Amino acid sequence: MNFSTEVKEDVTIMFAGDSGDGIQLTGAQFTDTTALFGNDISTFPNFPAEIRAPQGTVAGVSGFQLHFGSAKMNTPGDELDVLVVMNAAALKVNLKNLKKGGIIVANTDGFDPKNLKLAKYPEGVNPLKNGSLEGFKVYEIDVTKHTKSALQDSGLGTKEAERSKNMFVLGFIYWMYNRNLDNTIKFIEEKFKKRPDIIEANLKVLHAGFNFGETSEAVGTRYEVKPAPMPKGMYRGIMGNQATALGLIAAAEKSGLNLFYGTYPITPASDILHELSKFKNFGVKTYQAEDEIAAVCAAIGASFGGALGVTGSSGPGIALKTEAIGLALMLELPLVIVNVQRGGPSTGLPTKTEQADLLQAVYGRNGEAPVAVVAAKTPSNCFDMVFEACRLALEFMTPVMFLSDGYIANGAEPWRFPLANDLKAIPVSFAKEKNQGDKFMPYLRDEKLARPWAVPGVAGLEHRIGGIEKEDITGNISYDPDNHEKMVKTRAAKIAGIASYIPLQTIDQGAENADVLLLGWGGTYGALRNAVSELLAEGLSVAHAHLTYLNPFPKNLESLLRKHKYILIPELNNGQLVKIIRDKFLIDAQSLTKIQGLPFYTTDIKNAVYAILKKHSENLVCN
Amino acid sequence: MNFSTEVKEDVTIMFAGDSGDGIQLTGAQFTDTTALFGNDISTFPNFPAEIRAPQGTVAGVSGFQLHFGSAKMNTPGDELDVLVVMNAAALKVNLKNLKKGGIIVANTDGFDPKNLKLAKYPEGVNPLKNGSLEGFKVYEIDVTKHTKSALQDSGLGTKEAERSKNMFVLGFIYWMYNRNLDNTIKFIEEKFKKRPDIIEANLKVLHAGFNFGETSEAVGTRYEVKPAPMPKGMYRGIMGNQATALGLIAAAEKSGLNLFYGTYPITPASDILHELSKFKNFGVKTYQAEDEIAAVCAAIGASFGGALGVTGSSGPGIALKTEAIGLALMLELPLVIVNVQRGGPSTGLPTKTEQADLLQAVYGRNGEAPVAVVAAKTPSNCFDMVFEACRLALEFMTPVMFLSDGYIANGAEPWRFPLANDLKAIPVSFAKEKNQGDKFMPYLRDEKLARPWAVPGVAGLEHRIGGIEKEDITGNISYDPDNHEKMVKTRAAKIAGIASYIPLQTIDQGAENADVLLLGWGGTYGALRNAVSELLAEGLSVAHAHLTYLNPFPKNLESLLRKHKYILIPELNNGQLVKIIRDKFLIDAQSLTKIQGLPFYTTDIKNAVYAILKKHSENLVCN
Amino acid sequence: MSTDINNFTAKDLITDQEVRWCPGCGDYSILKQVQTVLPELGLKREDIVFISGIGCSSRFPYYMETYGMHSIHGRATAIASGLKSVRNDLSVWIITGDGDSLSIGGNHFIHLLRRNFNVNILLFNNEIYGLTKGQYSPTTQTGQVTKSSPYGALDHAFNPAALCLGADASFVARSMDRDPLHLRQMLKRTHEHQGAAVLEIYQNCNVFNDGAFEVFTEKTTKKGNTLFVTHGEPLIFGESNNKGIVLEGTTPRVVDLENTSTNDLWIHDEQDRNKANILVRMFDNPSDDSLPRPFGVFYSENRPCYEDLMIEQVEEVTNKFGKGNLDALLRGKSVYEIK
Amino acid sequence: MSTDINNFTAKDLITDQEVRWCPGCGDYSILKQVQTVLPELGLKREDIVFISGIGCSSRFPYYMETYGMHSIHGRATAIASGLKSVRNDLSVWIITGDGDSLSIGGNHFIHLLRRNFNVNILLFNNEIYGLTKGQYSPTTQTGQVTKSSPYGALDHAFNPAALCLGADASFVARSMDRDPLHLRQMLKRTHEHQGAAVLEIYQNCNVFNDGAFEVFTEKTTKKGNTLFVTHGEPLIFGESNNKGIVLEGTTPRVVDLENTSTNDLWIHDEQDRNKANILVRMFDNPSDDSLPRPFGVFYSENRPCYEDLMIEQVEEVTNKFGKGNLDALLRGKSVYEIK
Ligand SMILES: Cc1ncc(C[n+]2csc(CCOP(=O)(O)OP(=O)(O)O)c2C)c(N)n1
Ligand SMILES: Cc1ncc(C[n+]2csc(CCOP(=O)(O)OP(=O)(O)O)c2C)c(N)n1
Ligand code: SF4
Ligand code: SF4
Ligand SMILES: [Mg+2]
Ligand SMILES: [Mg+2]
């Protein structure tokens, strides 16, 4: 064969095609195989807008982007090395992200006049034919024809045969990256257990794709991407929403409580419900309420009854829950509120990512109503941080808001999953007896300022709680002015006091006293990490700290910030964390924002850092 | 007669008794008469907690505090000069607020064993008898007996006769302050038009009270409180909620629109509904919806139809409206949201005042969702600021939040009401024709960045709007990343741009470059003004600026602030405006908070200023 | 019901909080009857939970020495649904007003009925918003002058029982504050029903809507205007039990018992939903004001309770897949090792 | 209806926006029928407003060249209530899904019906949440496996028409996406009704709940399982119109027309609420699956519309007190002068 092999550090591939083309499955298979091979991976599926559009149109394009390589992959990649397109619309949507000189694998059958028209190419224009793709390596393959011919004796109808198209592409890409087919073969055999004919067809086409690479003269280069030096251990792939679901179940198990998840479907949070509802054998109860208000109220009711009450939604649904969250904080019952943020305001961009609910999380309730707020920074970190949210809620008898976002919720990465035994237990003790002489005082506090959790069913602890201001210690209704002030301050102090029970803030990369500190939070972690790696490699004095505890902040945050000359706060919103930091510390932190429903690209961040360094070059030099 | 007359600058009286004692009416009558006399007045009714308690108990005490004098009265007074109590419970509740040496007028009949027991005085203890009131001037009057004997030939039954008790007290206080009975006589004649016997009885008792003062040996001193030098003109008394209602009607009239008020009852906002529902002959439509969400949505619908859509509530109800407010700002329709703040969080202290919804107003929505925010500073200022809210909503096609609070909503003051002609017209022009060639572009903006208001019924302007991100100019659904960023920035710029269309910030009192600037907002105006007057009189370098525009701020705010050495921000919350100021200007503004459901007292503020001056005395001296 | 469980009396249910309703409020009587009945139900006091929304009536839990929550306006039903989901062992009583349940809380109310959680809903209907001082509610009569309707309310009132039936309630009954005996009977029936039981209680708000139910509660008018229905019994009412109701087709008519035999009367059947629908609508037709207002249990149906179905499903799934193992869950289906 | 008003055709109702439902979705047919019927109603196009919530169905307004608002989930009814309050001249159409109207929007829905605003509600019932990709809805059948009920839904489904009647709806009808002719008739009737008119439309979601209504829509099973009711006509159905329904007391029974005369059949009376209640409940009893599912107008009642009452009251008050004068209002009742 006349092909060479080239070694690459990392590769970004986008599989794109119509919603019906099996793109997500293809992407997932390539991910699994590549993970098994030992590469690190970061993936991001890109669904079409909410309603499926007619086949072949731009609105109907489904994409799956993945980035794999021989080092830690922090993001699904900014620019594409390889773009696999099943039809013209898929090319149209994604071409702008392809690197100069990148590879296009195009299914020519998807570029027939009908598809070109659906993709709204001008009459007579075929991008494969008109020279517009100059500067890219284009592999044109009539996937449909190859698939059909591979299956000509299979006895399958045309429609059913055509459904295996994606296997041809997968096989071809496996060949291109020197991958082994075993994992996918196993998967196919498992998935179609009951249809041996389908198994056979898919395997045939998969091999045909692989062999096409091997035998076709067209392709000159194969690539080798060596395994990444990942910490030793057992791995699996995990998506953010899945990790959130597992984190909740784990927290319930480690606290010895039953998990109650009250929710109302909403993109991009619904998958947490779908995931949790499978695990009834963990005693998990999922409750699809009539609306978000009912969902959070049911979670409060469950918590009153001694369960781990959790509610989940996205921005518009969280807005509806605010009144009830206020009740929960007055009742001082544990409650975890999961907010998988999406593009806003209002219905906004439901399938896109954004970080614009931070101020709502911290400030968005009537009255003085502090709750704890934490955020996950990567898909797998959803597991850790939602577990933390549960721990804080239970230890401090308080609502805790857990922020995720559409990007990490749907993104995936390899996860060195923990053993159940290695997870810290969350100690929960229900009140068993009277706590002040012969009386039970529902608002007598412990050293964390948490009140006792007395659940119905225990004789002698009968008590009433409610949303009207409560008298200190007794919990009775009180309109007393001084008591109100005391209670407001106590609730605030309880949340502030959490700072003593969370880890100190660390610097992720860079020096302790860099010229520029990038302070990020939540789902932008990967992009910031990449950018800072590159900037450090360029010899610049930058550092990166990433917040996962947002209210309260880690105790050392101020001193950590003050050691750096300039603070830049990149956020996928119009500047929210930056407001809190400036208010709290009177530090002239600057804001870098992107409000496009998209994650940061490395270049977005690097350019901002260059700009700061340039602007302040004098100050920095004379230092 | 052996009494002297003493001239006083100002007097604070509290009338207190059982809910059934006619206290509010008594207070209102005294207020009216005193206003007619030419004093300035500030009043504050103090209702019992929500549910009427059994007669005679502490929980059932109703109070009416009023402060009148020969100068501008900014608050209903901190400490009482005179406390009128109809029963023991009323004394128990209010005694702590009486000045040393103050006067108590006590209805002895309300201190019988039954009443003492209901008020929870220890067995056998009568505060009138046990010397505990030493240091006060106590006038004990058996009001019940006097009333009954005045009415012995009236033919009224005992119950009915006793109902006039309050008139006796009112007559007596009129005598004490040299007031004329005419206004109250007219009022009684009007009120009981259909019951001549009741008129006669009330007038008899009123005169009996007055004559009792004249003839009784007990009372040694009469007081004279000279008229206040108020600007010339026609005055009336007005309460905050009433002013809000009138402001809304005025804005509707001056914009040529129909007013639609969608609401759901809630303390302390309900009176706006009660007030507005009377004025159907202004074409006002009040709509008592099934809940707060329906209320705001109905207002949005009305606004879509070309009416002035307004919704009103208090904290918990506002929390429920947040999702829909987000819709309104996406639709870019005019909408005024009235928030009469009360003590929070959650149900909190429903009948008490607080300013703790500012951060919710500014930040409490999902996504990047800026709305304009204004606040009233006094009862009559509710008229001006809600009118402004309507103006901004209509001129900028945006939701505007108008903040009032329980204190000013229920408080009253004299109001030099404007003439209809003197109110500025609010120009509103509905779109009449296509605005881009043969197309109508619902999101084509004017110089204020406002979009056209095209209401159904106009042929050719048919268009669709919604909560999904919209394409610039066309208003079509758009998932385009750059468009989203542009629209988010445009919506933010529109709100920020309001700064060019509102008055510059002024200093209320004090120098332009004082040592300490008190920066207040909303209903604390009177207390701050009093305190600063006194501090200035003491020769201290203080100043007071009071914000009524909270988002955006007046353009000159930063420069105004920077001229002062120390900024102190007093708020009836745990520190909210201070957060925004610190973030925006990186000024080390300090916070003075009070979270007791009560207004500031002059001393609260003065002490805080003394403390700052003391702490920084070195800095201030060497300057 | 074993006696050792009856470890409390009505007195034990009184809390140390002062009862703060207006003197004369119908809520007092309801409180009293609930405190009287509860000890007779074979419950442990610590297993009883009262959950309310906001309103005068919703202060109720503070006066019951049981577990309790005074929540937010309209949401007691939603909170109780969550509580019941995890604690089917508790006896949960929801206290709600006509505004709380039918206005702001309407959605949770009908959904709870549909799902059929096993709870007892005491709906204090005073046809007014008491706590906020007298605005009209969804049950206020059209035309009534209230604080928020100075020229008369325009709204068409809900028929609460009809709404409940429309929402597939499995138990619907009505009683009144002024008939302690009947109220106690109805409270017991409400408790006994397995599923969501709604007991509408006519409650006089003597401050803002005094006399709204006078014709049904006052001695002089009561007999002629009320109809107490009992399962299996004919529909009889009137000053001297001299009138009855017959069903002509689907139309109820008042008949004089002098002319009609009780055998021909409509015999009440709690299990007949179609008849229940007619029964609760009897007084809706303003053109026929001779029909009395019914009280009693209108409808009662056996249907699985939601919380039991939840438990069953958890058990089924557990039986099928075995009790969940956290390690297996964390591993997932496809793992690999980096060595 | 004068012809000069009919200034638009079905084509004029098509917007420049690409219709983005899944190929095969029942929404297409409904859109088509609405576009066909509207020009025949004597309306001006500019007076027509479509208001929707959120859901697949709620994208509808984008495809109608009229005024429109795609609002937020469940609130179209509330928004329309406000619009109608100030603009009784408009023809307002509410587009909503089973989740939008009966789940999150349930409260506004029943309150709009109670108040009886003059609007047309098209309830696209596909017994599933389409837009969020396949969770069960309040009309999903118990036991159904969906995205959020992998082991079968536990919820008892609402009977939407029964709920409407319980909420005092003044017009309740049902049709289906697959019967264009009937759908058009029902759309017209819905429009003609003065008051809140609910038209439930069975709509196939071929992606997440394909075939939910197959038995009613497919040729082979339709005739045996559907009953098209018409005012004044007997209830007849069956393969060859060979079956009828009689009402025994309050119980409907299927009879064979070979043995029973059509004179003895239940004659449909749209104005009879009691019968309407029985009609809409016909298929609720799982033990009797011989009863067909009814389509058509179940109930229609004349009752004042809320917006008209509002206007009347404004007029009455204005007549009584004279048109409001702002100066007089600002002065109030008690003024004094400082000179
Ligand atoms: C979210 C919210 N909206 C409004 C209120 C104000 N509010 C309290 S109780 C109530 C209605 C009370 O009426 P009902 O439920 O009939 O109870 P009742 O007082 O008559 O017993 C209202 C409107 C509130 N507390 N919270
Ligand atoms: C406040 C809020 N909650 C949840 C959602 C997510 N959501 C959008 S549509 C929908 C349900 C759609 O079902 P249905 O109303 O039956 O309409 P269909 O898509 O089936 O036509 C949900 C839950 C949302 N957009 N807003
Ligand atoms: S206002 Fe009415 S319902 Fe409330 S406590 Fe008083 S009488 Fe009872
Ligand atoms: S998901 Fe279902 S309802 Fe939505 S467009 Fe597709 S087929 Fe229609
Ligand atoms: Mg009530
Ligand atoms: Mg649906």
Side-chain angles (χ1 to χ4, degrees), chain A residues 50-51 264 274 278 288, chain D residues 20 59 73 135-136 148 151:
Chain A
E50 302 141 289
I51 306 189
Y264 185 72
H274 306 158
K278 295 179 198 156
Q288 185 180 311
Chain D
R20 293 203 178 166
R59 290 292 174 95
H73 198 30
Q135 300 83 7
Y136 60 95
S148 53
Y151 308 112

Side-chain angles (χ1 to χ4, degrees), chain B residues 538-592:
Chain B
E538 293 169 19
L540 298 179
S541 174
V542 295
H544 171 205
H546 210 81
L547 287 170
T548 50
Y549 295 88
L550 290 153
N551 194 36
F553 289 132
K555 275 183 155 178
N556 64 330
L557 183 60
E558 178 169 7
S559 65
L560 182 151
L561 294 179
R562 291 211 184 277
K563 290 189 191 130
H564 303 269
K565 285 209 194 69
Y566 296 100
I567 310 286
L568 181 65
I569 304 190
E571 298 177 83
L572 297 176
N573 57 39
N574 206 17
Q576 301 204 354
L577 174 64
V578 70
K579 287 189 160 52
I580 305 179
I581 295 286
R582 288 168 61 93
D583 155 38
K584 272 234 150 74
F585 305 128
L586 289 183
I587 287 177
D588 190 12
Q590 295 304 308
S591 184
L592 168 63

Side-chain angles (χ1 to χ4, degrees), chain B residues 50-51 264 274 278 288 290, chain C residues 20 59 73 136 148 151:
Chain B
E50 303 139 289
I51 306 189
Y264 185 73
H274 306 157
K278 294 178 197 156
Q288 184 180 311
E290 56 273 22
Chain C
R20 292 203 177 166
R59 289 293 174 95
H73 198 30
Y136 61 94
S148 53
Y151 309 113

Side-chain angles (χ1 to χ4, degrees), chain A residues 212-223:
Chain A
F212 175 80
E214 194 81 16
T215 54
S216 146
E217 298 286 308
V219 181
T221 324
R222 259 177 115 172
Y223 302 91

Side-chain angles (χ1 to χ4, degrees), chain C residues 97-99 124 126-130 137:
Chain C
D98 42 324
F124 291 38
N126 54 12
E127 298 189 350
I128 202 82
Y129 288 177
S137 91

Side-chain angles (χ1 to χ4, degrees), chain B residues 262-278:
Chain B
T263 192
Y264 185 73
I266 189 167
T267 306
S270 310
D271 280 337
I272 300 172
L273 166 64
H274 306 157
E275 198 66 20
L276 285 174
S277 62
K278 294 178 197 156

